[in-house]
Amino acid sequence: MFSRLARLSRPQAIAVSAVPLATLVAVVALAPLPFAVAQPGGTADVLGEYKGKPVLTISGAPTRETKGELRMTTIVATGPQMDVRLGDVIDGWFRTDRAVMPKDSVYPDGDNVKEVEKHNLGDMRESQDSATKAALGYLRANGVDGTDKVEVKADLGKIGGPSAGLFLALGIVDKLDGDGSGGDLTGGRTIAGTGTISAKGKIGPVGGVAMKTQAAARDGATVFLVPEAECSDAEAEKPKDLQLVPVTTLASTVDSLRALEKGGKVPSC
């Protein structure tokens, strides 16, 4: 073919070469790509109900009435078996309410829908256990009596993954002890955020925080608690008037919420 192209004029050669190029572009445009497209998902107030059921049910100790909201945040991504094509990727790159991510970072366990759901729900159960241990450990360390017989059940339906851990722990602390002085951890505000938590109260990163800040603002939050390591990601698409507060441990997060309630200084990204 190259010898024949050499005998053609430049316009003729370009025209002939454009045919396979156009075919290649068309194939790429139609071919599925190894990406997932994410967007802001729902939020859930861990102090209230989710789909008609209490998120937190605590027994073994008296609980307190709370004001304000502690909203854990989510993202929604294209399913593990859904094809994402070039047009979807380009659209996602140019929209502030979309994010394009490698599919294996969203679904590291493969494309089997049932296996992905099982894995995510398993992560959520582990997160709930860690949140309960972290919250009760924090309360005991701060001299709160009567926590030895406390049992906690959390119900977030089919929401999976470990990223609700921090907010489940905060919800337990607020329901059992508030701010420690008779007030609410929220100060009556709607506070949103995200973060994994270990049984010892260490907060870890989760991913998707730029989308989660948008979900938080949409649902009325004025403060967003973000794992410190993800501050720059959270700032990337931060909605106007949403205050970012970096967090590293459960104890320091409670301290920041107390400072917010009193109008004091809190960390910032």
Side-chain angles (χ1 to χ4, degrees), residues 8 23 38 52 68 72 91 125 138 154 158 161-162 169 174 192 212 220 236 255:
L8 297 175
T23 302
M72 53 82 63
D91 180 62
R125 285 190 293 272
Y138 167 82
K158 291 188 176 182
D174 202 12
K212 290 179 178 181
D255 288 344

Side-chain angles (χ1 to χ4, degrees), residues 1-13:
M1 178 177 179
F2 291 110
S3 61
R4 290 197 299 272
L5 283 175
R7 294 195 294 271
L8 297 175
S9 66
R10 179 178 175 82
Q12 290 173 324

Side-chain angles (χ1 to χ4, degrees), residues 9-252:
S9 66
R10 179 178 175 82
Q12 290 173 324
I14 291 174
V16 171
S17 300
V19 174
L21 179 60
T23 302
L24 178 61
V25 170
V27 169
V28 170
L30 294 174
L33 300 173
F35 294 105
V37 179
Q39 64 186 53
T43 68
D45 176 21
V46 301
L47 298 175
E49 295 183 344
Y50 180 72
K51 294 189 174 182
K53 297 180 180 180
V55 175
L56 289 171
T57 302
I58 301 176
S59 59
T63 58
R64 54 186 300 279
E65 292 293 325
T66 59
K67 294 180 181 179
E69 298 179 351
L70 288 170
R71 288 195 165 270
M72 53 82 63
T73 54
T74 68
I75 61 171
V76 178
T78 49
Q81 293 183 335
M82 185 177 293
D83 289 339
V84 172
R85 304 187 187 280
L86 183 61
D88 302 315
V89 173
I90 293 173
D91 180 62
W93 276 333
F94 285 97
R95 292 180 58 167
T96 58
D97 62 343
R98 297 287 189 275
V100 178
M101 299 180 286
K103 183 180 283 189
D104 58 6
S105 72
V106 181
Y107 301 109
D109 298 300
D111 291 346
N112 186 291
V113 176
K114 289 185 178 180
E115 286 299 317
V116 169
E117 184 175 294
K118 181 180 178 182
H119 176 81
N120 286 342
L121 290 176
D123 280 349
M124 174 60 83
R125 285 190 293 272
E126 289 182 13
S127 177
Q128 292 169 3
D129 290 341
S130 294
T132 299
K133 291 175 182 176
L136 296 181
Y138 167 82
L139 292 170
R140 291 179 190 125
N142 284 272
V144 178
D145 296 326
T147 60
D148 293 339
K149 297 181 179 180
V150 167
E151 293 186 3
V152 180
K153 293 182 180 179
D155 188 350
L156 282 165
K158 291 188 176 182
I159 295 177
S163 65
L166 168 61
F167 271 67
L168 292 173
L170 289 172
I172 295 167
V173 171
D174 202 12
K175 281 182 170 291
L176 289 174
D177 193 48
D179 66 355
S181 302
D184 298 287
L185 276 183
T186 63
R189 298 177 177 85
T190 296
I191 293 175
T194 190
T196 65
I197 196 165
S198 72
K200 293 185 178 181
K202 184 177 180 180
I203 298 166
V206 293
V209 293
M211 298 290 98
K212 290 179 178 181
T213 60
Q214 295 181 47
R218 179 199 65 209
D219 290 355
T222 56
V223 176
F224 190 89
L225 307 180
V226 57
E228 187 177 58
E230 295 180 295
C231 263
S232 60
D233 291 341
E235 286 185 309
E237 303 292 346
K238 183 181 77 70
K240 184 180 179 181
D241 299 327
L242 184 67
Q243 181 179 0
L244 297 180
V245 178
V247 292
T248 56
T249 66
L250 178 59
S252 64

